[in-house]
Amino acid sequence: MCLLYLVVLVQLLATSGASQSGIVGGNEAKPHSRPYMASLQTRGSHTCGGVLIRKDFVLTSAHCLMTRQEPLMVVLGAHNISKKEKTQQHIPIQKYYPHPKYKYPQNDIMLLKLKTKAKLNKFVKHIGLPKKNGKTPANMKCSVAGWGMVESETSASDVLMETTVKTGSNSDCEQVWEQHFNSSQMMCTLTDAGKGFCQGDSGGPLVCKSKAQGIVAFNYAPNCKDTRYPHVYMKIPFFMPWIKEMLNE
């Protein structure tokens, strides 16, 4: 499990980017059905998720940079990350762009500029982003995917897992996470069905209506399935002005 940056939250809140990963309450995804998914790796081991938003840029969590011991490698076109699949593209990172106001858990978002552009094909595609900031209604069906841990404190899965989740209201999130939840830049999904992300899925996208709406941020560390604790994501629409500025640099 990755380092925790706020002592007051050590027993409750965990970032989900670590040497392990996973989706709880889900199933194995159809191979290459999510061609925008990225695995961020060090020495061949998955550390965080990410999402390809342009041929040369991946969007992920800022804390994935803070926990790395070595440079990250972006792996695209993967399904089983334990194998050297012919569909995979391994691309080094040219530059890291953590949000300038990042202070965990606020503004926990980062762009990665790839050293070489991804070769787009049926196995590797970028995903669309929201055009502007707006309200995400509660009870909207979305999906989240990642590689690995299907229960807290268990071994990781090598294949991409996915699950369907429902968005919660701001009051759902604020009631539990109190001052740690910033409704302007965060959104949450409910865990009443025992579904969501687990350790290691940070940076992966929350996809709603074929658009990436959120980036996996944090949940309840001791039990990813605990129905009392909504899972929290950075709200991509809020960060669109900054994302566009970085993409046009």
Side-chain angles (χ1 to χ4, degrees), residues 66-86:
M66 305 306 293
T67 59
R68 72 185 179 96
Q69 302 298 316
E70 299 177 21
L72 293 169
M73 175 73 72
V74 171
V75 180
L76 303 170
H79 176 67
N80 189 328
I81 54 176
S82 70
K83 297 180 178 179
K84 294 182 178 180
E85 300 165 316
K86 293 181 179 180

Side-chain angles (χ1 to χ4, degrees), residues 33-38 50-55 57-59 120 124-130 143 204-215 236 240 243 247:
S33 60
R34 296 175 181 269
Y36 49 79
M37 289 295 297
V51 57
L52 187 69
I53 61 169
R54 206 172 77 176
K55 287 182 180 180
F57 272 95
V58 165
L59 187 63
L120 302 185
V124 176
K125 298 179 182 179
H126 49 68
I127 196 171
L129 296 177
S143 64
L206 178 71
V207 179
C208 310
K209 294 184 177 180
S210 75
K211 301 278 188 181
Q213 295 286 347
I215 292 293
I236 292 177
M240 283 308 299
I243 292 172
L247 294 181

Side-chain angles (χ1 to χ4, degrees), residues 7-248:
V7 176
V8 69
L9 295 182
V10 167
Q11 297 301 318
L12 287 181
L13 183 156
T15 56
S16 300
S19 59
Q20 299 171 313
S21 64
I23 292 296
V24 292
N27 302 288
E28 180 178 347
K30 180 181 177 181
H32 312 295
S33 60
R34 296 175 181 269
Y36 49 79
M37 289 295 297
S39 170
L40 308 186
Q41 302 184 1
T42 55
R43 291 193 176 187
S45 295
H46 176 83
T47 62
C48 273
V51 57
L52 187 69
I53 61 169
R54 206 172 77 176
K55 287 182 180 180
D56 53 346
F57 272 95
V58 165
L59 187 63
T60 186
S61 297
H63 73 254
C64 292
L65 175 64
M66 305 306 293
T67 59
R68 72 185 179 96
Q69 302 298 316
E70 299 177 21
L72 293 169
M73 175 73 72
V74 171
V75 180
L76 303 170
H79 176 67
N80 189 328
I81 54 176
S82 70
K83 297 180 178 179
K84 294 182 178 180
E85 300 165 316
K86 293 181 179 180
T87 57
Q88 293 180 10
Q89 297 179 34
H90 293 242
I91 306 177
I93 295 167
Q94 179 176 310
K95 191 169 182 180
Y96 299 84
Y97 291 95
H99 194 279
K101 293 184 179 180
Y102 166 62
K103 187 176 182 181
Y104 185 79
Q106 305 298 317
N107 300 295
D108 188 9
I109 195 165
M110 174 171 63
L111 281 164
L112 305 174
K113 183 173 177 59
L114 305 182
K115 199 168 186 178
T116 57
K117 291 181 180 180
K119 296 177 181 178
L120 302 185
N121 53 45
K122 66 179 181 179
F123 306 108
V124 176
K125 298 179 182 179
H126 49 68
I127 196 171
L129 296 177
K131 292 183 179 180
K132 59 183 180 179
N133 196 5
K135 292 183 178 180
T136 303
N139 294 313
M140 177 185 287
K141 283 189 176 181
C142 301
S143 64
V144 62
W147 281 272
M149 191 178 290
V150 295
E151 299 281 353
S152 299
E153 305 300 336
T154 61
S155 60
S157 166
D158 295 323
V159 298
L160 184 66
M161 302 290 287
E162 64 183 3
T163 194
T164 300
V165 292
K166 284 186 179 181
T167 55
S169 66
N170 286 338
S171 60
D172 290 326
C173 308
E174 291 167 341
Q175 185 175 358
V176 175
W177 295 111
E178 298 177 343
Q179 72 272 22
H180 307 297
F181 182 81
N182 182 336
S183 61
S184 64
Q185 61 175 255
M186 297 176 187
M187 60 187 295
C188 74
T189 59
L190 304 177
T191 51
D192 52 5
K195 296 180 178 182
F197 58 82
C198 206
Q199 282 78 10
D201 280 323
S202 285
L206 178 71
V207 179
C208 310
K209 294 184 177 180
S210 75
K211 301 278 188 181
Q213 295 286 347
I215 292 293
V216 171
F218 62 84
N219 63 7
Y220 179 64
N223 182 0
C224 299
K225 286 186 175 182
D226 195 315
T227 58
R228 296 172 298 173
Y229 297 91
H231 289 189
V232 181
Y233 306 74
M234 292 292 113
K235 190 190 297 181
I236 292 177
F238 173 82
F239 294 99
M240 283 308 299
W242 173 74
I243 292 172
K244 289 178 180 179
E245 180 184 350
M246 294 298 99
L247 294 181
N248 293 325

